[in-house]
Amino acid sequence: MKTVDVDRSLCDNHGQCAIAAPEVFRMNPDGVLEYEPTFDDSLLDVVEEAIDVCPVQAIFLKD
Amino acid sequence: MSTPTVDIPYLNISDPSFAMQSEELRNAREASWYARTNYGIAVLRYDEVSKLLKSPKLKQGSAQWPAHNGVHGGLFYDWWTKNLLVLEGEDHHRIRRLLNPAFSPRLIKDLVPRFQALANELIDAFIDQGECEFIRDFAEPYATRVLTILLGIPESEWPKIARLASTVGLALGVTFKRDLDKVEAAVAELYEYADELIKDRQANPGEDFVSRLVLASRDGDRLSDEELRNALVLLIFGGMDTTRNQLGLAMQSFIRNPEQWALLAERPELGAKAVEEVMRTNPTVTWVTREAVEDFTYQDLFIAQGTTVHLFTQSSGTDPLAFPNPEMDLLGEHAPHYGFGGGVHHCLGHFVARADMSEALPLLASRLADPHLIGGDEWLPDSGNTGPTRLPIGFTPRG
Ligand code: HEM
Ligand code: HEM
Ligand code: SF4
Protein backbone atom coordinates (compact mmCIF):
# COMPACT_ATOMS: atom_id res chain seq x y z
CA MET A 1 0.00 0.00 0.00
CA LYS A 2 1.06 3.57 -0.69
CA THR A 3 -0.14 6.93 0.65
CA VAL A 4 -1.07 10.14 -1.12
CA ASP A 5 -1.75 13.56 0.36
CA VAL A 6 -3.55 16.59 -1.05
CA ASP A 7 -2.54 20.00 0.27
CA ARG A 8 -5.98 21.48 0.92
CA SER A 9 -4.61 25.00 1.10
CA LEU A 10 -3.62 24.64 -2.57
CA CYS A 11 -6.37 22.37 -3.93
CA ASP A 12 -8.88 24.38 -5.97
CA ASN A 13 -11.34 21.52 -6.64
CA HIS A 14 -10.78 21.36 -10.39
CA GLY A 15 -11.38 17.61 -10.32
CA GLN A 16 -8.68 16.73 -12.86
CA CYS A 17 -7.30 14.15 -10.40
CA ALA A 18 -10.71 12.45 -10.35
CA ILE A 19 -10.56 12.15 -14.16
CA ALA A 20 -7.03 10.73 -14.10
CA ALA A 21 -7.45 8.35 -11.15
CA PRO A 22 -11.13 7.79 -10.33
CA GLU A 23 -10.10 4.80 -8.21
CA VAL A 24 -8.61 7.17 -5.62
CA PHE A 25 -10.10 10.65 -6.14
CA ARG A 26 -13.74 11.71 -6.58
CA MET A 27 -15.74 14.93 -6.52
CA ASN A 28 -18.75 14.96 -4.20
CA PRO A 29 -22.12 16.39 -5.33
CA ASP A 30 -21.05 19.84 -4.09
CA GLY A 31 -18.00 19.70 -6.33
CA VAL A 32 -15.54 19.19 -3.45
CA LEU A 33 -12.66 16.70 -3.64
CA GLU A 34 -12.78 13.50 -1.59
CA TYR A 35 -10.02 10.90 -1.72
CA GLU A 36 -8.68 7.68 -0.28
CA PRO A 37 -5.20 8.44 1.15
CA THR A 38 -3.97 4.83 1.04
CA PHE A 39 -4.08 2.92 -2.20
CA ASP A 40 -2.87 -0.33 -3.66
CA ASP A 41 0.56 -0.40 -5.38
CA SER A 42 -1.10 -1.43 -8.63
CA LEU A 43 -2.65 2.08 -8.83
CA LEU A 44 0.68 3.90 -8.66
CA ASP A 45 0.68 4.74 -12.40
CA VAL A 46 -2.70 6.41 -12.37
CA VAL A 47 -1.99 8.23 -9.12
CA GLU A 48 1.23 9.60 -10.62
CA GLU A 49 -0.83 10.77 -13.56
CA ALA A 50 -3.19 12.56 -11.18
CA ILE A 51 -0.18 14.22 -9.54
CA ASP A 52 1.01 15.38 -12.96
CA VAL A 53 -2.30 16.77 -14.20
CA CYS A 54 -3.36 18.69 -11.10
CA PRO A 55 -3.43 22.28 -12.40
CA VAL A 56 -2.19 23.68 -9.08
CA GLN A 57 0.16 20.75 -8.29
CA ALA A 58 -1.46 20.08 -4.91
CA ILE A 59 -1.01 16.28 -4.76
CA PHE A 60 1.99 14.62 -3.13
CA LEU A 61 3.07 11.03 -2.77
CA LYS A 62 4.16 10.02 0.74
CA ASP A 63 6.52 7.12 1.19
CA MET B 1 -37.88 32.53 -8.33
CA SER B 2 -38.55 35.72 -6.44
CA THR B 3 -35.26 37.15 -7.59
CA PRO B 4 -35.14 40.87 -6.90
CA THR B 5 -34.85 42.66 -10.22
CA VAL B 6 -34.04 46.00 -8.66
CA ASP B 7 -30.34 46.70 -8.14
CA ILE B 8 -29.25 43.90 -10.47
CA PRO B 9 -26.96 45.52 -13.02
CA TYR B 10 -27.40 44.98 -16.75
CA LEU B 11 -24.50 44.65 -19.21
CA ASN B 12 -24.69 44.57 -23.00
CA ILE B 13 -21.78 42.18 -23.55
CA SER B 14 -22.01 41.97 -27.34
CA ASP B 15 -21.84 45.75 -27.80
CA PRO B 16 -18.47 46.35 -29.53
CA SER B 17 -17.76 49.18 -27.09
CA PHE B 18 -18.39 47.01 -24.02
CA ALA B 19 -15.27 47.22 -21.83
CA MET B 20 -14.20 44.76 -19.14
CA GLN B 21 -11.83 47.16 -17.40
CA SER B 22 -14.36 49.95 -16.94
CA GLU B 23 -16.15 51.98 -14.32
CA GLU B 24 -19.41 50.35 -15.45
CA LEU B 25 -18.14 46.89 -14.64
CA ARG B 26 -16.51 47.86 -11.35
CA ASN B 27 -19.75 49.48 -10.22
CA ALA B 28 -21.72 46.42 -11.25
CA ARG B 29 -19.35 44.14 -9.31
CA GLU B 30 -19.64 46.33 -6.24
CA ALA B 31 -23.43 46.25 -6.42
CA SER B 32 -23.95 42.55 -7.11
CA TRP B 33 -22.16 39.23 -7.60
CA TYR B 34 -23.87 38.83 -10.96
CA ALA B 35 -25.30 40.94 -13.76
CA ARG B 36 -27.99 40.28 -16.32
CA THR B 37 -26.84 40.54 -19.91
CA ASN B 38 -28.36 40.45 -23.38
CA TYR B 39 -27.24 36.79 -23.48
CA GLY B 40 -27.51 34.97 -20.14
CA ILE B 41 -26.04 36.06 -16.82
CA ALA B 42 -22.52 37.27 -16.03
CA VAL B 43 -20.77 36.29 -12.78
CA LEU B 44 -18.49 39.08 -11.59
CA ARG B 45 -16.91 38.17 -8.22
CA TYR B 46 -14.08 35.78 -7.36
CA ASP B 47 -15.80 33.41 -4.92
CA GLU B 48 -18.84 32.90 -7.10
CA VAL B 49 -16.80 32.44 -10.29
CA SER B 50 -14.60 29.92 -8.51
CA LYS B 51 -17.58 27.87 -7.29
CA LEU B 52 -19.70 28.02 -10.44
CA LEU B 53 -16.76 27.25 -12.74
CA LYS B 54 -16.50 23.81 -11.15
CA SER B 55 -20.17 23.27 -10.37
CA PRO B 56 -21.59 19.94 -11.56
CA LYS B 57 -24.81 21.82 -12.38
CA LEU B 58 -23.12 23.58 -15.31
CA LYS B 59 -21.59 22.28 -18.53
CA GLN B 60 -19.48 23.85 -21.30
CA GLY B 61 -21.69 26.36 -23.10
CA SER B 62 -20.43 26.36 -26.70
CA ALA B 63 -21.56 22.92 -27.93
CA GLN B 64 -24.55 24.34 -29.79
CA TRP B 65 -22.60 27.09 -31.54
CA PRO B 66 -22.74 25.73 -35.11
CA ALA B 67 -26.43 24.89 -34.73
CA HIS B 68 -27.17 28.39 -33.40
CA ASN B 69 -25.62 29.65 -36.63
CA GLY B 70 -27.70 27.41 -38.84
CA VAL B 71 -24.82 24.99 -39.53
CA HIS B 72 -25.90 21.37 -39.02
CA GLY B 73 -23.35 19.33 -40.93
CA GLY B 74 -20.03 19.32 -42.74
CA LEU B 75 -16.41 18.94 -41.71
CA PHE B 76 -16.39 21.82 -39.26
CA TYR B 77 -19.62 20.68 -37.65
CA ASP B 78 -18.31 17.14 -37.18
CA TRP B 79 -15.03 18.39 -35.81
CA TRP B 80 -16.64 20.87 -33.44
CA THR B 81 -19.25 18.53 -31.99
CA LYS B 82 -16.63 15.86 -31.21
CA ASN B 83 -13.86 18.00 -29.74
CA LEU B 84 -12.74 17.80 -26.13
CA LEU B 85 -13.91 21.31 -25.29
CA VAL B 86 -17.57 20.46 -25.89
CA LEU B 87 -17.66 16.78 -24.89
CA GLU B 88 -19.08 16.03 -21.45
CA GLY B 89 -19.01 13.27 -18.85
CA GLU B 90 -17.25 9.99 -19.59
CA ASP B 91 -16.86 10.86 -23.32
CA HIS B 92 -14.81 13.90 -22.28
CA HIS B 93 -12.86 12.15 -19.52
CA ARG B 94 -11.86 9.24 -21.73
CA ILE B 95 -10.23 11.53 -24.32
CA ARG B 96 -8.71 13.73 -21.65
CA ARG B 97 -7.11 10.69 -19.95
CA LEU B 98 -5.56 9.62 -23.25
CA LEU B 99 -4.25 13.14 -24.04
CA ASN B 100 -2.99 13.99 -20.53
CA PRO B 101 0.32 12.07 -20.46
CA ALA B 102 1.75 13.99 -23.45
CA PHE B 103 1.14 17.24 -21.53
CA SER B 104 3.01 16.18 -18.40
CA PRO B 105 4.92 19.14 -16.92
CA ARG B 106 8.02 16.94 -16.74
CA LEU B 107 8.02 16.51 -20.54
CA ILE B 108 7.23 20.17 -21.23
CA LYS B 109 10.30 21.20 -19.18
CA ASP B 110 12.55 19.58 -21.78
CA LEU B 111 11.34 22.10 -24.35
CA VAL B 112 12.42 25.16 -22.34
CA PRO B 113 15.84 25.62 -24.07
CA ARG B 114 14.04 25.65 -27.44
CA PHE B 115 11.59 28.27 -26.19
CA GLN B 116 14.52 30.43 -25.05
CA ALA B 117 16.37 30.07 -28.35
CA LEU B 118 13.23 30.96 -30.27
CA ALA B 119 12.55 34.07 -28.16
CA ASN B 120 16.12 35.29 -28.62
CA GLU B 121 16.07 34.63 -32.37
CA LEU B 122 12.89 36.70 -32.77
CA ILE B 123 14.22 39.55 -30.59
CA ASP B 124 17.56 39.57 -32.49
CA ALA B 125 15.68 40.33 -35.71
CA PHE B 126 14.29 43.70 -34.53
CA ILE B 127 16.30 44.78 -31.48
CA ASP B 128 18.59 47.20 -33.33
CA GLN B 129 15.68 49.17 -34.75
CA GLY B 130 14.54 50.31 -31.31
CA GLU B 131 10.95 49.60 -32.30
CA CYS B 132 8.80 46.73 -33.53
CA GLU B 133 5.25 45.68 -34.22
CA PHE B 134 5.06 43.41 -31.21
CA ILE B 135 2.32 41.10 -32.51
CA ARG B 136 3.72 40.58 -36.02
CA ASP B 137 7.37 40.48 -34.90
CA PHE B 138 7.09 38.54 -31.66
CA ALA B 139 3.76 37.36 -30.22
CA GLU B 140 2.38 35.66 -33.34
CA PRO B 141 5.53 33.88 -34.58
CA TYR B 142 6.41 32.89 -31.02
CA ALA B 143 2.98 31.42 -30.24
CA THR B 144 2.80 29.59 -33.56
CA ARG B 145 6.35 28.27 -33.63
CA VAL B 146 6.01 26.96 -30.07
CA LEU B 147 3.19 24.79 -31.39
CA THR B 148 5.24 23.58 -34.36
CA ILE B 149 8.02 22.69 -31.88
CA LEU B 150 5.53 20.82 -29.71
CA LEU B 151 3.99 18.98 -32.67
CA GLY B 152 7.32 18.33 -34.39
CA ILE B 153 6.28 20.14 -37.60
CA PRO B 154 9.09 22.02 -39.42
CA GLU B 155 9.18 25.52 -37.93
CA SER B 156 9.24 27.01 -41.43
CA GLU B 157 5.62 25.88 -41.84
CA TRP B 158 4.37 28.32 -39.25
CA PRO B 159 2.89 31.00 -41.54
CA LYS B 160 0.76 28.38 -43.25
CA ILE B 161 -0.45 26.87 -39.97
CA ALA B 162 -1.20 30.37 -38.64
CA ARG B 163 -3.23 31.21 -41.74
CA LEU B 164 -5.23 27.97 -41.62
CA ALA B 165 -5.99 28.32 -37.93
CA SER B 166 -7.19 31.89 -38.27
CA THR B 167 -9.40 30.87 -41.18
CA VAL B 168 -10.99 28.19 -38.98
CA GLY B 169 -11.30 30.96 -36.40
CA LEU B 170 -13.76 32.75 -38.70
CA ALA B 171 -16.16 30.09 -37.47
CA LEU B 172 -16.44 31.85 -34.14
CA GLY B 173 -17.29 35.20 -35.65
CA VAL B 174 -20.66 36.65 -36.52
CA THR B 175 -20.05 36.02 -40.25
CA PHE B 176 -19.68 32.25 -39.68
CA LYS B 177 -22.39 31.22 -42.14
CA ARG B 178 -20.99 33.45 -44.91
CA ASP B 179 -17.43 32.18 -44.38
CA LEU B 180 -18.46 28.54 -44.17
CA ASP B 181 -16.82 27.45 -47.45
CA LYS B 182 -13.48 28.94 -46.45
CA VAL B 183 -13.73 27.37 -43.00
CA GLU B 184 -14.50 23.92 -44.47
CA ALA B 185 -11.51 24.14 -46.83
CA ALA B 186 -9.21 25.14 -43.96
CA VAL B 187 -10.42 22.28 -41.75
CA ALA B 188 -9.82 19.88 -44.66
CA GLU B 189 -6.28 21.17 -45.08
CA LEU B 190 -5.54 20.95 -41.34
CA TYR B 191 -6.89 17.39 -41.38
CA GLU B 192 -4.48 16.48 -44.18
CA TYR B 193 -1.63 17.88 -42.11
CA ALA B 194 -2.74 16.01 -39.04
CA ASP B 195 -3.21 12.75 -40.96
CA GLU B 196 0.31 12.95 -42.39
CA LEU B 197 1.74 13.62 -38.96
CA ILE B 198 -0.15 10.70 -37.45
CA LYS B 199 0.89 8.30 -40.21
CA ASP B 200 4.50 9.34 -39.92
CA ARG B 201 4.63 8.84 -36.15
CA GLN B 202 2.76 5.55 -36.33
CA ALA B 203 5.46 4.32 -38.74
CA ASN B 204 8.38 5.93 -36.88
CA PRO B 205 7.42 6.42 -33.25
CA GLY B 206 9.89 8.38 -31.12
CA GLU B 207 9.96 10.20 -27.80
CA ASP B 208 8.21 13.30 -29.19
CA PHE B 209 4.84 14.74 -28.30
CA VAL B 210 2.82 13.40 -31.25
CA SER B 211 4.34 9.92 -30.82
CA ARG B 212 3.14 9.98 -27.23
CA LEU B 213 -0.38 10.77 -28.41
CA VAL B 214 -0.24 8.07 -31.07
CA LEU B 215 1.04 5.48 -28.59
CA ALA B 216 -1.18 6.58 -25.69
CA SER B 217 -3.26 3.79 -24.29
CA ARG B 218 -5.07 3.13 -21.09
CA ASP B 219 -6.86 0.00 -19.91
CA GLY B 220 -6.47 -1.38 -23.43
CA ASP B 221 -8.15 1.68 -24.94
CA ARG B 222 -6.52 4.10 -27.39
CA LEU B 223 -7.35 7.08 -29.57
CA SER B 224 -8.68 6.25 -33.03
CA ASP B 225 -7.09 8.01 -36.02
CA GLU B 226 -10.14 10.24 -36.21
CA GLU B 227 -9.89 11.16 -32.54
CA LEU B 228 -6.19 11.87 -32.97
CA ARG B 229 -6.70 14.28 -35.82
CA ASN B 230 -9.57 15.98 -34.08
CA ALA B 231 -7.30 16.52 -31.06
CA LEU B 232 -4.36 17.80 -33.14
CA VAL B 233 -6.55 20.40 -34.81
CA LEU B 234 -7.92 21.42 -31.42
CA LEU B 235 -4.41 21.93 -30.06
CA ILE B 236 -3.43 24.09 -33.02
CA PHE B 237 -6.58 26.09 -32.71
CA GLY B 238 -6.77 26.36 -28.94
CA GLY B 239 -3.10 27.10 -28.38
CA MET B 240 -2.19 29.66 -31.01
CA ASP B 241 -4.38 32.75 -30.84
CA THR B 242 -4.75 32.40 -27.09
CA THR B 243 -0.98 32.54 -26.52
CA ARG B 244 -0.50 35.31 -29.10
CA ASN B 245 -3.23 37.43 -27.51
CA GLN B 246 -1.99 36.78 -23.98
CA LEU B 247 1.56 37.86 -24.89
CA GLY B 248 0.19 41.06 -26.47
CA LEU B 249 -1.79 41.78 -23.32
CA ALA B 250 1.30 41.09 -21.21
CA MET B 251 3.17 43.81 -23.11
CA GLN B 252 0.26 46.20 -22.53
CA SER B 253 0.27 45.40 -18.80
CA PHE B 254 4.00 46.02 -18.46
CA ILE B 255 3.86 49.25 -20.48
CA ARG B 256 1.33 50.41 -17.90
CA ASN B 257 3.55 49.20 -15.04
CA PRO B 258 7.15 50.13 -15.96
CA GLU B 259 8.53 49.48 -12.47
CA GLN B 260 7.30 45.86 -12.74
CA TRP B 261 9.08 45.48 -16.10
CA ALA B 262 12.32 46.77 -14.58
CA LEU B 263 11.90 44.33 -11.70
CA LEU B 264 11.40 41.42 -14.11
CA ALA B 265 14.53 42.43 -16.06
CA GLU B 266 16.52 42.32 -12.85
CA ARG B 267 14.97 39.10 -11.54
CA PRO B 268 14.21 36.71 -14.44
CA GLU B 269 13.17 34.03 -11.94
CA LEU B 270 9.95 36.04 -11.56
CA GLY B 271 8.91 34.96 -15.09
CA ALA B 272 6.35 32.44 -13.84
CA LYS B 273 4.92 34.99 -11.41
CA ALA B 274 4.73 37.54 -14.23
CA VAL B 275 2.55 35.17 -16.27
CA GLU B 276 0.17 34.63 -13.33
CA GLU B 277 -0.10 38.34 -12.59
CA VAL B 278 -0.73 39.27 -16.23
CA MET B 279 -3.38 36.58 -16.57
CA ARG B 280 -5.06 37.57 -13.31
CA THR B 281 -5.29 41.27 -14.15
CA ASN B 282 -5.38 41.23 -17.99
CA PRO B 283 -6.57 37.83 -19.32
CA THR B 284 -7.23 37.18 -23.02
CA VAL B 285 -10.16 34.89 -22.29
CA THR B 286 -12.48 37.49 -20.83
CA TRP B 287 -15.18 35.01 -19.93
CA VAL B 288 -15.75 31.27 -19.87
CA THR B 289 -19.20 30.15 -20.97
CA ARG B 290 -21.32 27.57 -19.17
CA GLU B 291 -24.89 26.33 -19.53
CA ALA B 292 -27.17 25.08 -16.74
CA VAL B 293 -27.88 21.33 -17.10
CA GLU B 294 -30.83 21.52 -14.67
CA ASP B 295 -32.84 24.09 -12.71
CA PHE B 296 -31.02 25.17 -9.56
CA THR B 297 -30.74 28.02 -7.11
CA TYR B 298 -27.40 29.58 -6.34
CA GLN B 299 -27.38 32.02 -3.43
CA ASP B 300 -30.41 34.25 -4.13
CA LEU B 301 -30.65 33.46 -7.82
CA PHE B 302 -32.83 30.88 -9.57
CA ILE B 303 -31.06 29.59 -12.68
CA ALA B 304 -33.27 27.70 -15.12
CA GLN B 305 -32.03 24.75 -17.17
CA GLY B 306 -30.46 26.01 -20.41
CA THR B 307 -29.46 29.41 -18.98
CA THR B 308 -26.12 30.67 -20.30
CA VAL B 309 -23.70 31.68 -17.54
CA HIS B 310 -20.61 33.76 -18.36
CA LEU B 311 -17.85 33.54 -15.76
CA PHE B 312 -15.84 36.77 -15.95
CA THR B 313 -12.09 36.30 -15.52
CA GLN B 314 -10.58 39.79 -15.21
CA SER B 315 -13.45 40.96 -13.04
CA SER B 316 -13.07 38.00 -10.66
CA GLY B 317 -9.26 38.24 -10.67
CA THR B 318 -9.35 41.86 -9.49
CA ASP B 319 -12.34 41.53 -7.13
CA PRO B 320 -11.47 43.60 -4.02
CA LEU B 321 -13.31 41.09 -1.82
CA ALA B 322 -10.70 38.45 -2.72
CA PHE B 323 -7.76 40.74 -3.56
CA PRO B 324 -7.44 43.70 -1.18
CA ASN B 325 -4.58 44.96 -3.37
CA PRO B 326 -5.77 43.97 -6.83
CA GLU B 327 -3.03 45.74 -8.84
CA MET B 328 -0.45 43.70 -10.69
CA ASP B 329 2.43 42.93 -8.29
CA LEU B 330 5.10 40.36 -9.10
CA LEU B 331 6.10 40.16 -5.45
CA GLY B 332 2.56 39.82 -4.06
CA GLU B 333 0.82 36.62 -2.93
CA HIS B 334 -2.46 36.15 -4.78
CA ALA B 335 -5.13 33.47 -5.05
CA PRO B 336 -5.16 31.58 -8.40
CA HIS B 337 -6.81 33.27 -11.42
CA TYR B 338 -9.24 31.61 -13.85
CA GLY B 339 -7.63 32.73 -17.10
CA PHE B 340 -7.21 29.05 -18.00
CA GLY B 341 -10.80 28.26 -17.05
CA GLY B 342 -11.35 25.59 -14.40
CA GLY B 343 -13.01 22.33 -13.49
CA VAL B 344 -13.07 19.37 -15.89
CA HIS B 345 -12.44 21.64 -18.93
CA HIS B 346 -9.46 23.37 -17.31
CA CYS B 347 -7.03 24.24 -20.12
CA LEU B 348 -5.14 21.12 -21.20
CA GLY B 349 -2.25 23.17 -22.59
CA HIS B 350 -1.63 25.39 -19.56
CA PHE B 351 1.75 23.85 -18.68
CA VAL B 352 2.90 24.58 -22.23
CA ALA B 353 1.50 28.12 -22.23
CA ARG B 354 2.90 28.84 -18.77
CA ALA B 355 6.31 27.44 -19.67
CA ASP B 356 6.65 29.31 -22.97
CA MET B 357 5.38 32.67 -21.69
CA SER B 358 7.45 32.53 -18.50
CA GLU B 359 10.58 32.18 -20.67
CA ALA B 360 9.57 34.87 -23.17
CA LEU B 361 8.67 37.65 -20.73
CA PRO B 362 11.95 37.87 -18.74
CA LEU B 363 14.00 37.64 -21.96
CA LEU B 364 12.00 40.51 -23.43
CA ALA B 365 12.36 42.50 -20.20
CA SER B 366 16.11 42.00 -20.11
CA ARG B 367 16.60 43.18 -23.70
CA LEU B 368 13.87 45.83 -24.28
CA ALA B 369 14.07 48.67 -21.75
CA ASP B 370 11.24 51.19 -21.32
CA PRO B 371 8.76 49.80 -23.86
CA HIS B 372 6.10 52.35 -24.84
CA LEU B 373 3.24 52.65 -27.32
CA ILE B 374 4.05 54.57 -30.49
CA GLY B 375 0.54 54.61 -31.97
CA GLY B 376 -1.29 52.52 -34.54
CA ASP B 377 -2.39 49.74 -32.17
CA GLU B 378 -5.53 47.77 -33.07
CA TRP B 379 -7.62 45.63 -30.73
CA LEU B 380 -10.10 42.77 -30.68
CA PRO B 381 -13.36 43.59 -28.86
CA ASP B 382 -13.67 42.56 -25.21
CA SER B 383 -16.34 39.88 -25.84
CA GLY B 384 -14.96 36.35 -25.65
CA ASN B 385 -11.24 36.39 -26.39
CA THR B 386 -9.45 39.74 -26.55
CA GLY B 387 -6.03 41.29 -27.15
CA PRO B 388 -4.14 43.53 -29.58
CA THR B 389 -3.97 42.48 -33.25
CA ARG B 390 -1.38 45.23 -33.91
CA LEU B 391 0.89 46.70 -31.25
CA PRO B 392 3.66 49.00 -32.49
CA ILE B 393 6.08 49.76 -29.62
CA GLY B 394 9.31 51.67 -29.13
CA PHE B 395 12.03 50.71 -26.61
CA THR B 396 15.69 51.17 -25.70
CA PRO B 397 17.81 48.16 -26.66
CA ARG B 398 19.72 46.82 -23.68
CA GLY B 399 22.78 44.61 -23.33
C1 HEM C 1 -2.27 31.73 -22.87
C2 HEM C 1 -2.67 30.70 -23.57
C3 HEM C 1 -3.95 29.96 -23.29
C4 HEM C 1 -5.10 30.38 -22.68
C5 HEM C 1 -5.41 31.75 -22.11
C6 HEM C 1 -6.01 29.26 -22.68
C7 HEM C 1 -7.28 29.28 -22.12
C8 HEM C 1 -8.13 28.20 -22.03
C9 HEM C 1 -9.40 28.20 -21.39
C10 HEM C 1 -10.01 29.39 -20.68
C11 HEM C 1 -9.95 26.97 -21.52
C12 HEM C 1 -11.27 26.48 -20.94
C13 HEM C 1 -12.44 26.83 -21.80
C14 HEM C 1 -13.72 26.47 -21.09
O1 HEM C 1 -13.72 25.91 -20.00
O2 HEM C 1 -14.78 26.79 -21.64
C15 HEM C 1 -9.02 26.17 -22.28
C16 HEM C 1 -9.22 24.86 -22.67
C17 HEM C 1 -8.37 24.17 -23.50
N1 HEM C 1 -7.12 24.57 -23.93
FE1 HEM C 1 -6.20 26.33 -23.48
N2 HEM C 1 -5.40 28.20 -23.29
C18 HEM C 1 -4.15 28.58 -23.68
C19 HEM C 1 -3.21 27.80 -24.31
C20 HEM C 1 -3.42 26.51 -24.75
C21 HEM C 1 -2.45 25.69 -25.44
C22 HEM C 1 -1.02 26.10 -25.72
C23 HEM C 1 -3.08 24.52 -25.76
C24 HEM C 1 -2.57 23.31 -26.48
C25 HEM C 1 -1.34 23.06 -26.77
C26 HEM C 1 -4.44 24.60 -25.25
C27 HEM C 1 -5.39 23.61 -25.37
C28 HEM C 1 -6.61 23.60 -24.74
C29 HEM C 1 -7.56 22.50 -24.84
C30 HEM C 1 -7.38 21.24 -25.62
C31 HEM C 1 -8.66 22.87 -24.06
C32 HEM C 1 -9.94 22.05 -23.83
C33 HEM C 1 -9.81 21.25 -22.56
C34 HEM C 1 -11.05 20.47 -22.18
O3 HEM C 1 -12.16 20.83 -22.58
O4 HEM C 1 -10.91 19.46 -21.44
N3 HEM C 1 -4.60 25.81 -24.63
N4 HEM C 1 -7.91 26.95 -22.56
C1 HEM D 1 -11.68 25.74 -34.05
C2 HEM D 1 -11.71 25.82 -32.75
C3 HEM D 1 -12.62 26.70 -32.00
C4 HEM D 1 -13.72 27.33 -32.44
C5 HEM D 1 -14.32 27.34 -33.76
C6 HEM D 1 -14.24 28.02 -31.34
C7 HEM D 1 -15.44 28.65 -31.36
C8 HEM D 1 -15.87 29.45 -30.38
C9 HEM D 1 -17.16 29.99 -30.31
C10 HEM D 1 -18.24 29.67 -31.23
C11 HEM D 1 -17.20 30.83 -29.27
C12 HEM D 1 -18.36 31.62 -28.81
C13 HEM D 1 -18.25 33.04 -29.28
C14 HEM D 1 -19.25 33.92 -28.66
O1 HEM D 1 -20.11 33.45 -27.88
O2 HEM D 1 -19.17 35.13 -28.93
C15 HEM D 1 -15.90 30.79 -28.68
C16 HEM D 1 -15.50 31.49 -27.61
C17 HEM D 1 -14.48 31.04 -26.83
N1 HEM D 1 -13.58 30.06 -27.10
FE1 HEM D 1 -13.45 29.04 -28.72
N2 HEM D 1 -13.44 27.87 -30.29
C18 HEM D 1 -12.43 27.06 -30.66
C19 HEM D 1 -11.42 26.58 -29.89
C20 HEM D 1 -11.25 26.99 -28.63
C21 HEM D 1 -10.36 26.39 -27.71
C22 HEM D 1 -9.52 25.18 -27.94
C23 HEM D 1 -10.43 27.11 -26.59
C24 HEM D 1 -9.64 26.93 -25.38
C25 HEM D 1 -8.50 27.51 -25.33
C26 HEM D 1 -11.40 28.12 -26.79
C27 HEM D 1 -11.78 29.02 -25.83
C28 HEM D 1 -12.82 29.87 -26.02
C29 HEM D 1 -13.22 30.74 -24.99
C30 HEM D 1 -12.71 30.75 -23.59
C31 HEM D 1 -14.22 31.55 -25.54
C32 HEM D 1 -14.86 32.72 -24.92
C33 HEM D 1 -16.05 32.50 -24.21
C34 HEM D 1 -16.95 31.39 -24.60
O3 HEM D 1 -16.69 30.24 -24.14
O4 HEM D 1 -17.95 31.62 -25.29
N3 HEM D 1 -11.87 28.03 -28.02
N4 HEM D 1 -15.12 29.92 -29.37
S1 SF4 E 1 -6.80 18.18 -9.57
FE1 SF4 E 1 -5.72 19.25 -7.94
S2 SF4 E 1 -6.93 21.07 -7.58
FE2 SF4 E 1 -8.17 19.65 -8.70
S3 SF4 E 1 -9.33 18.54 -7.16
FE3 SF4 E 1 -7.56 17.34 -7.65
S4 SF4 E 1 -6.06 18.03 -6.14
FE4 SF4 E 1 -7.64 19.54 -6.12
Side-chain angles (χ1 to χ4, degrees), chain A residues 16, chain B residues 53 60 84-86 92 96 103 147 150 234-235 238-240 242-243 246 279 284-285 288-290 338-342 344-350 352-353 356-357:
Chain A
Q16 290 295 332
Chain B
L53 191 53
Q60 223 292 335
L84 188 68
L85 188 66
V86 307
H92 168 270
R96 183 110 191 184
F103 285 92
L147 272 168
L150 188 70
L234 180 64
L235 303 183
M240 235 177 52
T242 44
T243 306
Q246 194 62 69
M279 291 189 67
T284 174
V285 175
V288 174
T289 303
R290 293 291 180 265
Y338 296 113
F340 285 115
V344 297
H345 292 287
H346 185 287
C347 180
L348 176 64
H350 74 104
V352 180
D356 66 48
M357 294 190 295

Side-chain angles (χ1 to χ4, degrees), chain B residues 228-245:
Chain B
L228 274 167
R229 73 177 189 186
N230 185 306
L232 288 176
V233 173
L234 180 64
L235 303 183
I236 290 172
F237 200 81
M240 235 177 52
D241 286 12
T242 44
T243 306
R244 180 200 65 192
N245 294 345

Side-chain angles (χ1 to χ4, degrees), chain B residues 13-14 39 60-66 69 76 79-80 83 85-86 165 168-174 176 183 187 190 233-240 242 284-290 308-311 313 339-341 345 347-349 383-386:
Chain B
I13 58 173
S14 42
Y39 186 47
Q60 223 292 335
S62 304
Q64 298 306 318
W65 177 258
N69 283 272
F76 177 81
W79 175 77
W80 182 247
N83 88 56
L85 188 66
V86 307
V168 179
L170 294 173
L172 54 165
V174 283
F176 179 20
V183 171
V187 174
L190 280 173
V233 173
L234 180 64
L235 303 183
I236 290 172
F237 200 81
M240 235 177 52
T242 44
T284 174
V285 175
T286 53
W287 63 66
V288 174
T289 303
R290 293 291 180 265
T308 297
V309 181
H310 296 292
L311 305 166
T313 52
F340 285 115
H345 292 287
C347 180
L348 176 64
S383 332
N385 301 355
T386 193

